[in-house]
């Protein structure tokens, strides 16, 4: 028998090789993650002036205080007609021709939008040139105390279109050499070409503009965003994607400028008030965004949680954020874009090994030959086919997209089935199941976790499949191999055991809900968010709920039920619940924006804590609940 190889041994050897190749492919990512440790706080210029007014200080004095605590740049807005009419933040007036001009001049175009400003305004020339560049059909009317810009549209059109940058804020930043994050918004009458030319004019005049944060629901100039992207690339101006905020055109703009993307996290005042988020939770959110999701810009505000003392509270909060980040190895400064790295061939080979060998072994399980042997030549053919599959994934993008989800799903399925069948050697089965998941997860992280994926420019398309397919594969296997007491045919012809069917249906529905909710923060209830925050404070990295509260405890419960021969018709529900842990663990490695070592720690935390909680739960069941049930049953 020396000329034959056990199938399990061959599977574990292939997965070990996959793990080694994955680690080789991860070297560029790990190097980039270790070097990307610079973080900046950003605040809006309007907040600086507000604090200056409240404390009778100059904006420069307020800036120096917060700059010392890590605020490295100011966000400067571009105003809509509505903002100019209502808030009037600049010495300008916006309205209709009927309300601005003489009766004679207004009679021709009474509803035409007009911008009025003092003729001697210090930045009058810049203002007009910017608007004229952005809106070539605009007309200047001079004479007298005021100048008038006749805008190419009605008041209604310009109520929600941005066309006036806060030039006073830009001049303040220019005078004191403060980096600017410009916030252009959508302007319906302006083409993409004109938006780009206006932005070029503005950056030539104010070279402190180093970043763009698109405002509004649509990127300025969309869908013609190529000209704006070219200006940004030529000048090295970065783009900030605000996480969890969906804006039309931002993904396309980010894709065009390549690596010039720096992710940002922001909490709005409305969100803080509506969710009743306290100062401690805000700090936790910011620190986690930096440490776990590789965010490098944090937008900060003097939030309206307390009345009075806003500057003191704001600076105290900044000091706490700064201290917490520095304690974790970060430093405050102006961040650089993440260095780029491509999909490595070694990572593709690792994925090929995982896909082919786990699929091959799953088929062996279905046919009942998983404990058999193969000839060395057959093993060599399998390895060659796996490496060819990896090469196809590396070369053919369609193959990579198609097989990514299967790689995670098959690894999760095999890890779960290995652990579930180990009721007699439980710790060994749990360890091997975990290692299988880690091999699959690292392979996905190696091949699919490119710099573009880390910046969420090319999202991983296999997340849903990773969550949904394993329970279906497990169920099909169990019904085929009679791990469940009956086959599919027997279940179809006999009367339904409704309790079993309902439980399985509920479990599959839960899986569907989790798949739909994956990466969708808005669908997470406030109570669960609070629980997550608590876990973050207790542990270095919060384990995922479906691992330590559902999946691994279900695994321990299943072992107990098998060893004691309890409820054979209902064990399938527990098996499906257990597979959740392995799906979730693989899915953790698909979060490419998270530092890799944190993903590994999160998976380990979910594993040991889930097994511990499951053991405690089973002990309570065995020593307390079952004896109590038996006593109550006898008394009845």
């Amino acid at each position: 028998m020396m000329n034959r190889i056990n199938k399990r041994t061959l599977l574990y050897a292939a997965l070990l090789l996959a793990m080694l190749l994955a680690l080789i492919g991860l070297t560029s990512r790990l190097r980039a993650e270790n070097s990307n440790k610079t973080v900046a706080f950003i605040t809006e210029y309007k907040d600086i002036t507000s604090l200056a007014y409240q404390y009778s200080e100059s904006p420069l004095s307020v800036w120096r205080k917060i700059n010392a605590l890590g605020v490295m740049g100011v966000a400067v807005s571009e105003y809509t007609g509505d903002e100019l009419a209502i808030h009037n933040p600049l010495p300008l007036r916006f309205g209709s021709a009927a309300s601005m001009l003489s009766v004679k001049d207004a009679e021709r175009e009474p509803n035409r939008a007009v911008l009025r400003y003092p003729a001697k305004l210090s930045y009058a020339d810049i203002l007009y040139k910017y608007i004229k560049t952005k809106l070539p059909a605009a007309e200047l009317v001079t004479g007298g105390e005021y100048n008038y810009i006749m805008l190419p549209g009605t008041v209604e059109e310009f109520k929600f279109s941005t066309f006036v940058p806060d030039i006073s804020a830009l001049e303040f930043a220019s005078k004191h050499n403060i980096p600017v994050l410009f916030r252009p918004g959508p302007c319906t009458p302006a083409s993409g070409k004109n938006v780009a030319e206006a932005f070029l004019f503005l950056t030539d005049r104010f070279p402190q503009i180093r970043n763009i944060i698109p405002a509004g629901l649509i990127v300025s100039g969309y869908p013609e965003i190529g000209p704006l992207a070219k200006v940004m690339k030529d000048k090295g101006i970065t783009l900030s994607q605000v996480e969890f905020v969906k804006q039309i055109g931002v993904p396309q703009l980010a894709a065009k400028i390549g690596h010039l993307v720096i992710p940002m996290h922001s909490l709005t005042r409305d969100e803080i008030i509506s969710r009743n988020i306290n100062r401690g939770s805000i700090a936790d959110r910011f620190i986690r965004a930096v440490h776990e999701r590789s965010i490098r810009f944090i937008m900060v505000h003097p939030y309206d949680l307390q009345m009075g003392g806003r500057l003191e509270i704001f600076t105290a909060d900044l000091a706490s954020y700064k201290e917490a980040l520095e304690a974790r190895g970060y430093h405050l400064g102006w961040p650089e874009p993440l260095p780029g790295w491509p999909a490595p061939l070694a990572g593709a080979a690792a994925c090929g090994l995982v896909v082919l060998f786990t699929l091959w072994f799953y088929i062996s399980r279905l046919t009942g030959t998983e404990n058999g042997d193969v000839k060395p030549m057959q093993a060599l053919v399998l390895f060659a086919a796996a490496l060819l599959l990896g090469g196809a994934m590396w070369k053919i993008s369609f193959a990579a997209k198609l097989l990514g989800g299967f790689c995670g799903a098959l690894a999760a399925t095999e890890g779960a089935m290995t652990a579930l069948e180990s009721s007699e050697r439980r710790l060994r089965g749990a360890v091997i199941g975990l290692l299988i998941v880690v091999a699959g997860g690292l392979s996905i992280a190696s091949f699919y976790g490119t710099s573009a994926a880390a910046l969420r420019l090319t999202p991983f398309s296999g997340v849903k499949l990773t969550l949904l397919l394993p329970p279906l594969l497990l169920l099909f296997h169990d019904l085929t191999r009679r791990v469940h007491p009956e086959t599919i045919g027997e279940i179809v012809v006999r009367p339904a055991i409704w309790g079993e069917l309902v439980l399985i249906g509920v479990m599959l529905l839960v899986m569907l809900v989790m798949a739909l909710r994956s990466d969708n923060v808005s669908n997470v209830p406030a109570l669960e968010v609070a629980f997550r925050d608590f876990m973050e404070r207790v542990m270095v990295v919060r384990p995922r709920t479906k691992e330590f509260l559902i999946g691994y405890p279900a695994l321990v419960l299943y072992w107990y039920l098998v060893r004691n021969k309890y409820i054979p018709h209902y064990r399938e529900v527990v098996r499906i619940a257990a597979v959740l842990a392995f799906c979730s663990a693989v899915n953790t490695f698909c979060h490419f924006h998270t530092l890799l070592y944190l993903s590994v720690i999160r998976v380990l935390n979910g594993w040991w804590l889930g097994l511990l909680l499951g053991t405690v739960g089973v002990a309570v069941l065995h020593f307390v609940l079952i004896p109590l049930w038996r006593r109550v049953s006898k008394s009845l």
Side-chain angles (χ1 to χ4, degrees):
M1 296 299 293
M2 294 298 293
N3 62 340
R4 300 185 72 85
I5 304 170
N6 179 266
K7 284 188 175 183
R8 288 185 185 273
T9 302
L10 182 61
L11 171 68
Y12 298 155
L15 293 178
L16 177 61
L17 177 60
M19 190 181 297
L20 294 174
L21 288 171
L23 291 172
I24 292 172
L26 283 165
T27 52
S28 295
R29 173 179 171 178
L30 292 172
R31 192 181 304 116
E33 289 182 350
N34 289 331
S35 64
N36 186 30
K37 293 287 187 178
T38 305
V39 183
F41 301 139
I42 304 299
T43 195
E44 295 200 50
Y45 179 73
K46 293 179 287 188
D47 288 327
I48 294 176
T49 56
S50 172
L51 292 172
Y53 299 152
Q54 185 176 350
Y55 286 86
S56 300
E57 296 189 24
S58 67
L60 180 59
S61 174
V62 172
W63 163 254
R64 285 172 175 165
K65 290 179 181 179
I66 62 176
N67 176 240
L69 296 170
V71 178
M72 297 297 166
V74 295
V76 175
S77 298
E78 191 177 24
Y79 292 111
T80 65
D82 227 14
E83 289 170 330
L84 293 170
I86 297 172
H87 305 296
N88 200 21
L90 300 172
L92 314 172
R93 186 178 172 191
F94 170 80
S96 65
S99 65
M100 294 278 192
L101 306 178
S102 66
V103 175
K104 179 182 177 181
D105 293 333
E107 280 182 347
R108 291 184 296 114
E109 302 166 310
N111 197 33
R112 183 168 183 174
V114 175
L115 183 70
R116 189 188 78 178
Y117 57 93
K120 295 183 179 180
L121 187 67
S122 60
Y123 50 80
D125 186 52
I126 297 174
L127 177 65
Y128 173 67
K129 286 182 179 178
Y130 177 82
I131 294 176
K132 182 65 175 177
T133 305
K134 189 169 187 176
L135 303 165
E139 301 172 9
L140 178 64
V141 178
T142 60
E145 185 180 354
Y146 294 101
N147 289 347
Y148 300 84
I149 300 178
M150 310 294 289
L151 300 170
T154 64
V155 171
E156 286 74 17
E157 286 179 286
F158 280 94
K159 280 180 67 175
F160 305 109
S161 290
T162 62
F163 59 98
V164 176
D166 190 345
I167 297 178
S168 61
L170 292 172
E171 290 189 329
F172 171 81
S174 178
K175 181 178 180 182
H176 303 293
N177 198 28
I178 300 171
V180 169
L181 297 90
F182 187 55
R183 305 198 63 189
C187 182
T188 306
S191 69
K193 179 175 180 291
N194 292 333
V195 165
E197 290 175 348
F199 182 65
L200 177 62
F201 165 77
L202 205 62
T203 53
D204 286 342
R205 179 61 182 80
F206 299 105
Q208 284 72 29
I209 297 176
R210 298 176 61 180
N211 180 275
I212 277 185
I213 314 172
L217 299 177
I218 307 173
V219 169
S220 185
Y222 181 83
E224 188 187 3
I225 55 177
L228 178 60
K230 184 178 186 306
V231 173
M232 295 175 68
K233 290 180 72 173
D234 290 346
K235 287 182 167 279
I237 295 172
T238 56
L239 169 72
S240 277
Q241 284 184 293
V242 182
E243 63 172 355
F244 311 136
V245 175
K246 297 187 182 299
Q247 296 170 290
I248 297 173
V250 168
Q252 294 89 330
L253 180 59
K256 284 185 176 294
I257 64 173
H259 72 286
L260 292 173
V261 176
I262 301 178
M264 172 178 285
H265 183 77
S266 176
L267 276 173
T268 66
R269 290 180 170 90
D270 290 343
E271 184 179 0
I272 290 171
I273 294 171
S274 63
R275 292 196 174 194
N276 195 24
I277 304 176
N278 59 39
R279 291 169 64 195
S281 296
I282 292 173
D284 289 341
R285 288 272 297 264
F286 287 165
I287 303 309
R288 285 206 311 274
V290 171
H291 193 50
E292 294 190 15
R293 301 194 298 278
S294 302
I295 298 298
R296 292 299 175 257
F297 278 138
I298 298 290
M299 181 69 77
V300 293
H301 303 280
Y303 297 110
D304 304 327
L305 294 174
Q306 295 85 17
M307 303 300 165
R310 294 171 69 234
L311 181 57
E312 291 84 356
I313 294 171
F314 187 40
T315 53
D317 287 345
L318 289 173
S320 70
Y321 307 156
K322 182 174 184 287
E323 181 182 3
L325 288 173
E326 289 178 341
R328 288 165 173 78
Y330 298 91
H331 62 273
L332 279 299
W334 190 262
E336 294 296 325
L338 192 68
W341 67 87
L345 178 59
C351 286
L353 286 165
V354 172
V355 170
L356 191 137
F357 275 90
T358 52
L359 178 60
W360 163 74
F361 201 75
Y362 178 76
I363 295 172
S364 297
R365 286 182 179 277
L366 291 179
T367 57
T369 61
E370 70 271 22
N371 294 316
D373 300 321
V374 295
K375 295 180 180 179
M377 183 56 65
Q378 292 174 308
L380 289 175
V381 170
L382 285 170
F383 274 106
L387 295 177
L388 285 174
L389 181 62
M393 294 173 68
W394 190 58
K395 275 293 193 181
I396 306 170
S397 60
F398 176 75
K401 290 179 180 179
L402 178 65
L403 294 175
F406 286 100
C407 182
L410 290 167
T413 304
E414 181 54 41
M417 295 174 75
T418 298
L420 285 166
E421 69 187 10
S422 304
S423 59
E424 297 299 324
R425 304 179 69 180
R426 296 178 291 282
L427 182 58
R428 178 179 181 274
V431 170
I432 294 177
L434 173 68
L435 291 175
I436 291 172
V437 162
V438 170
L442 287 177
S443 299
I444 291 172
S446 179
F447 179 54
Y448 293 93
T450 62
S451 55
L455 294 171
R456 307 190 192 194
L457 304 181
T458 54
F460 181 55
S461 58
V463 171
K464 309 302 182 192
L465 198 62
T466 300
L467 292 172
L468 286 174
L469 189 57
L472 298 177
L473 290 174
L474 178 74
L475 184 61
F476 181 74
H477 166 271
D478 291 354
L479 295 175
T480 302
R481 288 288 305 276
R482 297 188 73 103
V483 176
H484 186 68
E486 299 166 291
T487 65
I488 297 176
E490 291 170 343
I491 292 175
V492 170
V493 298
R494 67 152 168 84
I497 302 176
W498 290 109
E500 178 186 14
L501 295 177
V502 168
L503 285 174
I504 291 176
V506 168
M507 189 59 62
L508 293 175
L509 180 62
V510 169
M511 290 291 297
L512 178 62
V513 170
M514 288 194 311
L516 294 175
R517 206 187 68 164
S518 178
D519 292 330
N520 193 342
V521 178
S522 62
N523 288 338
V524 180
L527 183 62
E528 185 177 343
V529 172
F531 179 69
R532 290 180 176 188
D533 291 341
F534 170 75
M535 292 298 295
E536 290 286 355
R537 290 190 290 270
V538 172
M539 308 182 75
V540 176
V541 182
R542 171 186 59 82
R544 305 188 81 182
T545 305
K546 39 190 173 288
E547 294 172 39
F548 81 95
L549 279 184
I550 302 175
Y552 289 119
L555 174 63
V556 178
L557 175 61
Y558 176 76
W559 289 336
Y560 174 77
L561 296 176
V562 170
R563 287 171 63 86
N564 291 277
K565 298 180 173 59
Y566 288 152
I567 56 172
H569 278 87
Y570 291 90
R571 290 180 201 158
E572 192 62 28
V573 177
V574 184
R575 285 173 66 87
I576 292 175
V579 84
L580 292 178
F582 299 88
C583 298
S584 175
V586 173
N587 190 34
T588 295
F589 288 98
C590 301
H591 293 187
F592 307 126
H593 54 277
T594 300
L595 298 177
L596 184 64
Y597 85 93
L598 292 177
S599 295
V600 173
I601 294 174
R602 171 166 283 137
V603 168
L604 291 176
N605 279 345
W607 181 78
W608 72 260
L609 183 58
L611 293 177
L612 177 62
L613 291 178
T615 302
V616 171
V618 165
V620 172
L621 176 66
H622 182 73
F623 293 108
V624 179
L625 297 180
I626 291 180
L628 180 62
W629 171 259
R630 286 171 178 168
R631 284 197 298 270
V632 170
S633 298
K634 287 180 180 179
S635 65
L636 296 176

